[in-house]
Amino acid sequence: QSALTQPASVSGSPGQLITISCTGSSSDVGAYDLVSWYQVHPGKAPKFMMYHVTNRPSGVSNRFSGSKSGDTASLTISGLQAEDEADYYCSSYTTSDTWVFGGGTKLTVL
Amino acid sequence: QVQLVQSGAEVKKPGASVKVSCQASGFTFTKYYIHWVRQAPGQGLEWMGRFTPNPRDIIYAQEFQGRVTLTRDTSTRTDYLDLSSLRSDDTAVYFCARDGGNHDFDHWGQGTLVTVSS
């Protein structure tokens, strides 16, 4: 199972909106609405940010939103803040009853 | 609150095995599946496998088939990852993560660094 494709890096200034894409195939992202997103600060455990493509877990800011079209899911962060600077990973359940992660995207807040 | 507490760092020689533990608290342990994910230095997250109480439903990523075993001790609320025939590229931080019921990973352990070096 190949990793999902994410941009290596994105950047934005405080207050701006950025979007991180996550492209898979008809065997994973395109097969189900079972895409989730994770925020990883250096040396820390991942934090659960989004599930079922568009759903935010309790406690996650509404500045984070998710969407999907075909084989590509996206995470959008509005009103960018310094604390959002981190690595972001998408994950999808697959038709093989396994899970696959994206390669990760480094978000820099300028 | 939900907590997953993992065992401490390990240093192993190539060819050896390592067993990492993940002790759960704050939720009904027997009702949840636990996944294992690793992150090599400077690399991304990599899914390794998922434990379920039904042995027939335990599933491993193809990359680890034959080298990884997931087990559970319900008396101590602890899941275990056993990885054998270690290689230098198995050096990574290993995480356990609870399946939140939506094919996601809603709570994570703090991670266990496994270093494989001769």
Side-chain angles (χ1 to χ4, degrees):
Chain A
Q1 182 77 45
S2 298
L4 307 176
T5 300
Q6 297 181 230
S9 63
V10 298
S11 63
S13 298
Q16 285 189 329
L17 178 151
I18 65 96
T19 297
I20 300 171
S21 61
C22 168
T23 301
S25 69
S26 57
S27 298
D28 38 63
V29 175
Y32 313 102
D33 283 342
L34 294 174
V35 175
S36 53
W37 289 88
Y38 303 87
Q39 177 191 66
V40 185
H41 285 107
K44 299 291 188 182
K47 179 184 176 183
F48 183 40
M49 302 299 287
M50 196 74 60
Y51 67 99
H52 276 190
V53 177
T54 62
N55 294 271
R56 280 188 311 276
S58 173
V60 173
S61 170
N62 59 9
R63 296 187 297 106
F64 291 81
S65 61
S67 62
K68 193 187 91 165
S69 177
D71 297 342
T72 298
S74 298
L75 176 72
T76 296
I77 309 174
S78 61
L80 208 56
Q81 298 180 0
E83 68 209 46
D84 300 332
E85 185 163 295
D87 294 329
Y88 290 84
Y89 292 87
C90 60
S91 173
S92 177
Y93 180 64
T94 80
T95 55
S96 301
D97 190 26
T98 60
W99 281 258
V100 61
F101 283 97
T105 298
K106 182 177 180 59
L107 169 61
T108 300
V109 179
L110 302 170
Chain B
Q1 74 281 22
V2 174
Q3 275 197 303
L4 298 172
V5 178
Q6 299 184 222
S7 49
E10 302 262 14
V11 179
K12 295 290 182 181
K13 293 194 182 304
S17 297
V18 69
K19 192 166 189 173
V20 180
S21 68
C22 172
Q23 187 171 39
S25 61
F27 64 98
T28 305
F29 181 60
T30 52
K31 290 189 174 181
Y32 288 86
Y33 303 160
I34 294 289
H35 297 262
W36 290 85
V37 175
R38 75 177 186 182
Q39 185 172 29
Q43 304 298 310
L45 299 175
E46 182 178 24
W47 181 80
M48 300 181 68
R50 178 200 66 190
F51 178 87
T52 68
N54 185 342
R56 288 177 297 183
D57 292 334
I58 297 174
I59 189 157
Y60 303 113
Q62 192 169 6
E63 297 79 1
F64 301 101
Q65 290 275 5
R67 286 207 302 141
V68 66
T69 304
L70 302 183
T71 56
R72 171 172 288 187
D73 182 345
T74 53
S75 68
T76 60
R77 302 170 59 88
T78 302
D79 272 28
Y80 296 92
L81 163 74
D82 210 314
L83 186 62
S84 62
S85 302
L86 289 169
R87 310 183 291 251
S88 58
D89 62 0
D90 290 319
T91 293
V93 176
Y94 290 76
F95 294 100
C96 59
R98 191 182 79 163
D99 189 313
N102 295 298
H103 294 80
D104 50 40
F105 316 105
D106 69 345
H107 289 86
W108 295 68
Q110 83 275 20
T112 297
L113 174 62
V114 175
T115 303
V116 183
S117 173
S118 54

